[in-house]
C-alpha cells in the first residue's frame, strides 16, 4: 500500500487499499497491507495466551473469585469497584452509568442510532440477555487482572472474545447481530480503555511525539503544494474547520467505534468542502490530499496511539468494510505520507524542501494560469479569478514574511550595537566603589 505523487497530485489506487490476499476487504498499514482476518491467520501470536477461566453460563458474576483482581479491588475500595454492577441494578437508571453515551450522528457499519446503546443496557436486565452481561463483565475483570500482559496479547484476547460472543446471536438477523456486537464492543472497551490505551510496554507515546514534531515542522505546507482543489470561500472554510475539529475530537472518545465516527465525520466534511469548491462529486485523489492537509493543520493529539488503539481493539469487520473502514484506511495512508514526505512529494527539489524545513523557504504561490480561452463559461472565469486572488494573497504573505525577517535582523543588529556601546562605555569609565571609612 503506497501513496503516489503524479501530475494531478497525491493519489492512491483503490486497489491498493484492499487486502494483499485479494479477499476483497480493506487492508491496513498496521497489518502490512492485509486485512485483520488474513493478518491474524498469517502472523503468529506474540506470546502465549493466558489460561482464562471459562466464561460463566449461569449464576452471578460475584461468585467468581480472581486473586489479582481482588488485590486491585481492595486498593481502590470506595471508588470504582462496583461501578458496572451498580449500572445494571434495577433501582438505578442508565443515566447514572459512567459509560460514554453514543455519539449522535455517528454512522458505523451497523448504523448505530443515538439511543441504541441505552436500549442495549436496558435489555441486559432481561433474563434472556443476562448471559451477555455476565460474559462481558467476566471478560473485563479477567483482562484487568492480567495487567502484566503485553498489549498485543490483550488485543488477541479482545478479538477472540468478539468472535466467541458472536455465537450468542446465532439465528438472529445480520443487522441485529452487528448492532449488538457494536454495543458489546462499546461496553467492554469503555471499561478497559484506561488500561489498554497507550500502554507502557508499547512505543505509542514515542511515535506520537515523533509525529507531532514532524507535523509541526511541516507547518509551511499549503493547499497549493498539496494540489488540493479547495477554494478560500467561507463555506469551504467552514467545512475545513469542522473537519479539523472532528479529527481532534478523536482523542476525547473511548470506544473505538466513537473514534471511528469522528474520522468519518471529518471525512464527510472534507467531501462537502470539495463538492462546494468544484460543484462536482469529489474524486478519491482529491479526498486523500485534502485529508493530508487537514491532518497537518490539526496536528491531532496522540494520533498514532489512537490509530493503534482502533486497530487493536475495534471490531475487525468495521475496519475491513464499509464507509468507516474506507475513511480509516485513508487516514493511515495520510499519516504514512506525512512521515515520508520529501521534496519530490510536493514537486520541490531536495534543496527547496530543506530550505522550507529550516524556515528559509519562500511562500509557495500557485503557478500562473494560462490565459482564458474565448467563450469560457462563468464557472471557469470564477475559478480563474479565485486563482488570481490566491496568487495575490500568497505574494502578500511572502512580503509580510520577508519584512518580518528584515525586522528581526534589524532588531538583532540593534541589540548587538547597544551591547557593544555599553561595554565600551564601561571600559572607558569603570565604576569604582569607595569603601566607607
Amino acid at each position: 500500500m503506497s501513496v503516489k505523487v503524479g501530475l494531478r497530485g497525491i493519489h492512491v489506487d483503490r486497489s491498493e487499499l484492499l487486502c494483499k490476499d485479494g479477499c476483497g476487504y480493506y487492508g491496513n498499514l498496521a497489518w502490512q497491507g492485509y486485512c485483520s482476518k488474513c493478518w491474524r491467520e498469517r502472523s503468529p501470536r506474540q506470546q502465549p495466551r493466558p489460561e482464562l477461566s471459562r466464561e460463566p453460563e449461569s449464576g452471578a458474576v460475584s461468585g467468581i473469585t480472581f486473586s489479582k483482581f481482588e488485590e486491585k479491588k481492595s486498593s481502590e475500595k470506595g471508588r470504582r469497584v462496583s461501578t458496572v454492577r451498580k449500572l445494571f441494578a434495577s433501582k438505578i437508571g442508565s443515566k447514572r452509568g459512567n459509560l460514554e453515551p453514543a455519539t449522535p450522528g455517528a454512522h458505523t457499519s451497523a448504523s448505530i442510532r443515538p439511543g441504541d446503546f441505552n436500549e442495549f443496557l436496558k435489555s441486559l436486565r432481561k433474563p434472556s440477555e443476562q448471559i451477555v452481561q455476565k460474559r462481558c463483565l467476566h471478560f473485563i475483570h479477567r483482562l484487568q487482572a492480567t495487567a502484566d500482559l503485553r498489549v498485543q496479547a490483550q488485543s488477541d484476547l479482545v478479538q477472540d472474545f468478539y468472535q466467541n460472543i458472536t455465537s450468542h446471536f446465532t439465528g438472529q438477523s445480520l443487522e441485529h447481530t452487528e448492532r449488538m456486537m457494536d454495543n458489546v464492543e462499546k461496553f467492554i472497551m469503555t471499561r478497559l480503555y484506561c488500561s489498554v490505551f497507550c500502554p507502557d510496554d508499547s512505543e505509542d507515546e514515542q511515535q506520537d511525539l515523533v509525529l507531532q514534531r514532524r507535523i509541526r515542522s511541516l507547518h509551511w505546507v499549503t493547499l497549493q503544494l498539496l494540489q488540493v482543489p479547495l477554494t478560500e470561500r467561507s463555506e469551504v472554510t467552514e467545512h475545513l474547520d469542522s473537519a479539523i475539529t472532528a479529527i481532534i475530537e478523536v482523542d476525547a472518545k473511548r470506544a473505538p467505534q466513537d473514534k471511528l465516527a469522528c474520522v468519518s465525520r471529518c471525512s464527510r466534511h472534507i467531501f462537502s468542502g470539495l463538492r462546494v469548491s468544484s460543484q462536482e462529486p469529489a474524486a478519491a485523489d482529491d479526498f486523500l490530499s485534502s485529508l493530508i492537509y487537514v491532518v497537518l493543520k490539526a496536528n491531532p493529539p496522540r494520533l498514532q496511539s489512537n490509530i493503534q488503539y482502533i486497530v487493536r481493539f475495534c471490531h475487525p469487520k468495521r475496519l475491513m468494510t464499509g464507509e468507516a473502514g474506507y475513511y480509516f484506511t485513508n487516514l493511515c495512508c495520510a499519516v504514512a505520507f506525512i512521515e515520508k514526505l520529501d521534496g519530490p512529494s510536493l514537486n520541490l527539489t531536495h534543496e527547496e524542501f530543506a530550505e522550507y524545513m529550516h524556515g528559509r523557504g519562500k511562500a509557495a504561490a500557485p503557478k500562473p494560469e494560462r490565459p482564458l480561452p474565448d467563450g469560457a463559461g462563468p464557472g471557469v472565469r470564477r475559478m480563474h479569478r479565485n486563482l488570481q486572488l490566491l496568487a495575490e494573497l500568497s505574494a502578500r504573505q511572502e512580503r509580510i514574511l520577508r519584512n518580518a525577517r528584515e525586522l528581526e535582523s534589524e532588531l538583532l543588529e540593534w541589540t548587538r550595537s547597544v551591547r557593544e556601546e555599553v561595554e565600551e562605555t564601561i571600559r572607558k569609565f569603570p565604576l569604582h566603589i569607595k569603601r566607607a571609612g
Side-chain angles (χ1 to χ4, degrees), residues 207-221 291-304 331 334-335 337-339 341 357:
Q207 292 177 355
D208 287 333
L209 296 175
V210 171
L211 182 60
Q212 282 194 338
R213 287 194 293 265
R214 175 67 170 172
I215 292 177
R216 281 197 295 267
S217 68
L218 295 170
H219 65 90
W220 48 270
V221 176
L291 180 59
I292 292 171
Y293 179 78
V294 167
V295 172
L296 288 175
K297 294 305 173 186
N299 198 357
R302 302 192 294 186
L303 181 56
Q304 288 284 20
L331 176 61
V335 172
F337 177 84
I338 291 172
E339 291 176 333
L341 185 65
M357 294 297 288

Side-chain angles (χ1 to χ4, degrees), residues 81-148:
V81 177
S82 58
T83 304
V84 175
R85 293 174 187 170
K86 289 180 180 179
L87 180 64
F88 297 100
S90 59
K91 296 183 181 180
I92 299 179
S94 61
K95 291 184 178 180
R96 294 184 57 184
N98 68 339
L99 298 180
E100 190 177 57
T103 305
H107 297 276
T108 59
S109 59
S111 300
I112 299 177
R113 296 184 299 272
D116 273 357
F117 189 60
N118 290 333
E119 293 299 323
F120 168 76
L121 298 181
K122 293 177 182 178
S123 70
L124 294 182
R125 302 174 187 173
K126 301 177 182 178
S128 60
E129 298 295 340
Q130 284 183 357
I131 183 60
V132 177
Q133 173 189 347
K134 294 171 184 176
R135 292 178 69 176
C136 290
L137 291 174
H138 175 263
F139 177 75
I140 290 170
H141 296 161
R142 290 300 296 158
L143 199 63
Q144 288 177 333
T146 54
D148 55 333

Side-chain angles (χ1 to χ4, degrees), residues 21 54 85 90 117 129 141 209 256 262 272 278 312 319 328 343 349 373 381 427:
D21 263 359
R54 184 174 300 175
R85 293 174 187 170
S90 59
F117 189 60
E129 298 295 340
H141 296 161
L209 296 175
C262 292
S272 298
S278 62
R312 292 164 182 159
L319 300 183
F328 182 73
T349 66
R381 294 184 180 279
R427 187 182 61 80

Side-chain angles (χ1 to χ4, degrees), residues 138-282:
H138 175 263
F139 177 75
I140 290 170
H141 296 161
R142 290 300 296 158
L143 199 63
Q144 288 177 333
T146 54
D148 55 333
L149 281 181
R150 295 186 64 83
V151 65
Q152 188 55 50
Q154 293 176 327
S155 173
D156 292 337
L157 290 174
V158 171
Q159 297 298 330
D160 289 343
F161 176 76
Y162 289 154
Q163 292 183 4
N164 293 334
I165 202 169
T166 302
S167 61
H168 178 78
F169 307 108
T170 302
Q172 302 184 20
S173 67
L174 178 61
E175 181 182 358
H176 177 77
T177 300
E178 290 182 351
R179 185 164 59 249
M180 293 299 290
M181 286 305 302
D182 289 334
N183 289 323
V184 167
E185 175 198 304
K186 188 180 183 74
F187 178 52
I188 67 171
M189 292 315 303
T190 49
R191 294 290 296 160
L192 295 172
Y193 175 79
C194 292
S195 57
V196 300
F197 181 83
C198 192
D200 295 336
D201 64 345
S202 71
E203 298 181 355
D204 296 352
E205 186 176 1
Q206 291 81 357
Q207 292 177 355
D208 287 333
L209 296 175
V210 171
L211 182 60
Q212 282 194 338
R213 287 194 293 265
R214 175 67 170 172
I215 292 177
R216 281 197 295 267
S217 68
L218 295 170
H219 65 90
W220 48 270
V221 176
T222 63
L223 291 169
Q224 291 75 37
L225 286 174
L226 291 172
Q227 299 186 33
V228 179
L230 291 171
T231 63
E232 296 293 335
R233 295 170 57 182
S234 59
E235 302 95 323
V236 177
T237 303
E238 290 177 3
H239 284 298
L240 278 180
D241 291 342
S242 298
I244 291 172
T245 301
I247 198 68
I248 291 175
E249 287 179 353
V250 170
D251 191 56
K253 305 299 180 180
R254 288 197 169 199
Q257 60 187 260
D258 291 340
K259 292 181 181 292
L260 275 179
C262 292
V263 176
S264 298
R265 191 164 65 253
C266 167
S267 302
R268 286 193 291 271
H269 279 298
I270 291 174
F271 273 112
S272 298
L274 290 169
R275 187 165 52 250
V276 171
S277 296
S278 62
Q279 302 297 324
E280 296 178 357

Side-chain angles (χ1 to χ4, degrees), residues 351-411:
E351 293 75 15
E352 290 173 333
F353 184 80
E355 290 290 318
Y356 278 113
M357 294 297 288
H358 291 88
R360 296 191 297 268
K362 297 182 179 180
K367 297 179 180 179
E369 295 289 324
R370 295 178 180 177
L372 283 175
D374 295 335
V380 176
R381 294 184 180 279
R382 189 181 306 112
M383 182 170 57
H384 187 265
R385 175 57 180 165
N386 289 337
L387 290 174
Q388 289 180 335
L389 292 175
L390 287 174
E392 294 173 2
L393 289 174
S394 180
R396 187 184 306 172
Q397 182 183 16
E398 183 178 355
R399 288 195 300 270
I400 293 174
L401 291 175
R402 184 170 59 252
N403 293 336
R405 286 192 291 268
E406 292 176 358
L407 178 60
E408 181 182 13
S409 177
E410 292 175 1
L411 286 174

